[in-house]
Every structure is written in C-alpha cells, then in structure tokens.
Amino acid sequence: MSWQLDLIVLTMVVICGIAAINIRDLLGAGILFGAYSFMMCLLWAVMGAVDVAFTEASVGAGVSTVLFVAAVFRTTRRTKD
Amino acid sequence: MRILGLVIVILCGSILIYHTSDFPDWGHPASPASTHVSPYYIEKALDDTAVPNIVTAVLADYRGYDTMFETTVIFCAGIACFFLLRITRRMEPSVTLYRHLPTGITLRIEKGGKEPDDSNIFKRIDTQWVPYDLIINTTCRMVIPFIQLFALYVISHGHHSPGGGFQGGVILGASVILFAISTDLRTAISRMSERLGAFLSATGVFIYAGAGALCLVLGANFLDYSALAPVLNVNSVMARSHGILIVEIGVGLAVMAVMIWIYYNLSSAGRHDEGL
C-alpha cells in the first residue's frame, strides 16, 4: 500500500479512537470501536502481520462489537458524563 | 480535575511518542528482535516442525506454554462472566408473549394466565425486541453452515495459512451468536446449551494441557510434541506438526465455547430467558 493510503488509514484509526471516547451514545461507541479494529486490521495486514490482522478482524471487529452491543442492550444507551 | 488529567495524558503521550524515535526502524535487520531468536525460527521452523507458517509454529510449539495460559485466561474470562452475571433462580416474567405462527398474531398473556400448550403452532417471543423477518432468518440459515465450514478450515489449515485455534474458534462462536441473533436466545440455547458450553470450554483447556502432560508421561519435556511420535505412528518432525493441530483444536473448542457462553450471559443479563 502506498504511504498516502497508509496515512489515511492511520488518521481514521486516531479519529475513531477519539470519537469512541467522546461520543455520548454508547452503542455508537461500540460501533466506532468496531471500525477502529477494522482499520487496525488493515494496518496489521499492510505491515505483513497477517495472523494478527486476522485475529483483529475476527475478535476486535467481530465478536467484541457484538458483546458491546449486547451489553448496551442490557444496560443503558446514554452515558452519564 | 479534567484539565489536570488532560495535561498528564498529553505529557505522558508526548514523552512516549518522543521516545519512539529511539526505536529501530520497522523491519530493521539489526534490531534486537531480529537478531536474537528470530533467525533460528525463520531458518529452522520448517525443518523442526514441518509447518510452513512460522507464526503457528512459534505460537503453538516453541512458545506453546504461553499459548496454554492464554487459553486458560480465556477460560477464566468465561468463568468470571458466569459468576458475575448468572442468575440461577427462576424469575417468572410478568408478561409473556406468544406468536401464533400460521397467522402471525401476537398473544399477550398476563402472569397467571393460561399458557398455550401446542408448541408447534404457538411460539414464545421476546417482550422487548420482537423481529419476525423472513429475509434475515433465511439468509442467516443459509450463511451459518458456510461460516462454520470456514471456521473449521481456519483451525485445520492454520499450519499453511493465516489462522489457527483462536481465529477459527472465534468465527465458530460467532456463527452460533449469529444464530442466536437471527432467531432468539431460547432457540440458540436449545441447540447449544449452557452446560455444553461450560463443558466444551473446560475440555479445550484439558486437551491442550493433556497433550502437554502426555509428552511428560512419554519421557520428554512438557509440550514437547516430538515425544508423541510413537503414539501417532509418525516420525518426530511430523509428530510436532500433529501436536500443533491437537492443541489448536483444543484452543478452538475453548474459545468457541467461551465466546458463546459470555454472549449468553451478557445478552440476557444472566437469566438465559430473553436476549438480543
């Protein structure tokens, strides 16, 4: 991947990370963490760590998002602070 | 207080970022990570274990002891979620909803009312979130077998391609979670019960530790799979390859069961009656 694309993906990672802790909607935070994990998965794949990228895609972007959504479904969607 | 926290975070972050300039370049051949044990793995892994994917060989063979405790950590996560969330005493819901399948009419039954007895016509549905979507049901029903087949491929083909027990186990667990989301939690629990989940997660860890202990019994070090050669009737190099497959299956079982178990407990808040 060219360094421009690399930089775009890295910027998206930072944006997703900051947005996930600032957003008031907890469901949105869970989805943003999924997007964050997917961008990280792209970066791992670019750096040649394909196994790590695979783990990030399945665990980070897949199951952990589902667990976040399930936890939000059982608690509350709005954060207090 | 928030300003102070922000200042501390920015200070620590800038110190960390400043010191990354002292790191060796990415992939530098003279960096400590590339000069210590990596050359041995890169040159000898194929000869030692007959596994082309070096990551799998390092993960399950050279550093197998680490991976065993990673599996144990995942097992402990499942146990912790169970003890924190699970509510074993039965709480009768005040209202139960049933769907009359031929017509799609929903019945609302207050506490103490007469429950429908013919379960082929009446189906209990959740009180909070009640989808009845033919497209979602049919699509998931068609996709889930292929997801599971792919998960088995990932587990068994981890020797040659990216993947292995962790990834395959997560995908296998995700297929059951997808089934639970597309139908409802009670249907998923009737297919794969909590008891089976607990049993499989313990079995996965037992397979891993048992393979190591078997090596110990056969006179080698713990998790030195070359000792399994007489048992598996292959030479010692192929025995290491097969030993990796055995522990990957154990990891896959444990991870799959724990993912499903945590999902059951989280989505139903420990009651296992109604969930996402």
Side-chain angles (χ1 to χ4, degrees):
Chain A
M1 203 193 279
S2 59
W3 68 268
Q4 289 95 341
L5 270 175
D6 222 2
L7 201 64
I8 290 172
V9 174
L10 197 56
T11 318
M12 289 290 285
V13 168
V14 175
I15 290 173
C16 285
I18 292 174
I21 51 175
N22 276 325
I23 195 168
R24 289 189 172 274
D25 189 355
L26 289 177
L27 187 64
I31 303 293
L32 279 169
F33 267 125
Y36 168 89
S37 290
F38 191 70
M39 296 290 165
M40 279 308 291
C41 156
L42 286 181
L43 283 180
W44 294 125
V46 168
M47 286 189 280
V50 192
D51 282 82
V52 184
F54 199 175
T55 313
E56 186 77 44
S58 57
V59 180
V63 168
S64 74
T65 309
V66 172
L67 295 183
F68 277 133
V69 171
V72 169
F73 174 72
R74 275 295 159 192
T75 53
T76 172
R77 227 183 127 164
R78 294 279 151 191
T79 168
K80 291 283 193 304
D81 55 8
Chain B
M1 204 61 208
R2 287 173 69 96
I3 305 288
L4 189 67
L6 193 68
V7 167
I8 291 173
V9 165
I10 288 176
L11 204 65
C12 293
S14 53
I15 289 173
L16 283 176
I17 290 172
Y18 172 72
H19 280 286
T20 52
S21 61
D22 291 342
F23 284 0
D25 284 343
W26 175 65
H28 197 275
S31 66
S34 312
T35 51
H36 184 47
V37 287
S38 302
Y40 178 83
Y41 293 149
I42 293 169
E43 288 162 12
K44 299 281 176 59
L46 190 59
D47 298 335
D48 278 355
T49 62
V51 174
N53 186 4
I54 302 172
V55 177
T56 304
V58 172
L59 189 87
D61 187 291
Y62 294 114
R63 292 284 176 266
Y65 202 54
D66 278 2
T67 313
M68 190 179 91
F69 282 100
E70 281 174 28
T71 317
T72 315
V73 163
I74 290 182
F75 175 65
C76 292
I79 296 279
C81 266
F82 172 75
F83 280 123
L84 280 176
L85 294 173
R86 187 79 172 98
I87 300 168
T88 47
R89 68 173 189 279
R90 285 192 62 83
M91 287 174 56
E92 292 297 323
S94 57
V95 173
T96 48
L97 295 183
Y98 282 85
R99 176 176 284 131
H100 184 235
L101 290 177
T103 58
I105 294 173
T106 304
L107 293 179
R108 179 192 159 93
I109 295 170
E110 300 281 337
K111 193 171 187 176
K114 183 177 180 297
E115 308 262 326
D117 45 0
D118 195 345
S119 61
N120 289 326
I121 296 176
F122 291 100
K123 187 173 184 299
R124 193 181 155 194
I125 55 177
D126 292 351
T127 47
Q128 284 192 322
W129 188 68
V130 195
Y132 184 69
D133 199 325
L134 190 66
I135 295 175
I136 290 178
N137 273 335
T138 314
T139 310
C140 290
R141 190 175 288 256
M142 283 163 67
V143 161
I144 284 170
F146 292 101
I147 295 178
Q148 289 175 337
L149 200 62
F150 178 65
L152 293 179
Y153 163 79
V154 167
I155 293 178
S156 60
H157 209 254
H159 290 53
H160 300 273
S161 62
F166 282 101
Q167 294 95 327
V170 167
I171 296 172
L172 209 53
S175 70
V176 178
I177 292 176
L178 181 64
F179 181 73
I181 290 176
S182 67
T183 57
D184 59 7
L185 195 68
R186 289 179 301 278
T187 317
I189 288 179
S190 70
R191 295 283 181 91
M192 163 134 191
S193 64
E194 184 194 22
R195 189 182 294 253
L196 183 63
F199 178 73
L200 282 182
S201 57
T203 306
V205 180
F206 178 75
I207 287 175
Y208 203 133
L214 192 60
C215 301
L216 208 61
V217 169
L218 292 170
N221 286 326
F222 191 68
L223 290 171
D224 183 3
Y225 312 127
S226 54
L228 296 176
V231 180
L232 298 169
N233 199 17
V234 286
N235 62 15
S236 63
V237 174
M238 280 311 289
R240 288 178 80 164
S241 175
H242 292 336
I244 290 174
L245 180 63
I246 292 170
V247 301
E248 293 273 25
I249 289 171
V251 171
L253 275 180
V255 171
M256 174 200 76
V258 167
M259 290 300 155
I260 297 168
W261 199 11
I262 290 178
Y263 175 78
Y264 283 171
N265 279 326
L266 263 184
S267 70
S268 68
R271 295 211 173 79
H272 287 209
D273 53 352
E274 292 186 355
L276 190 61

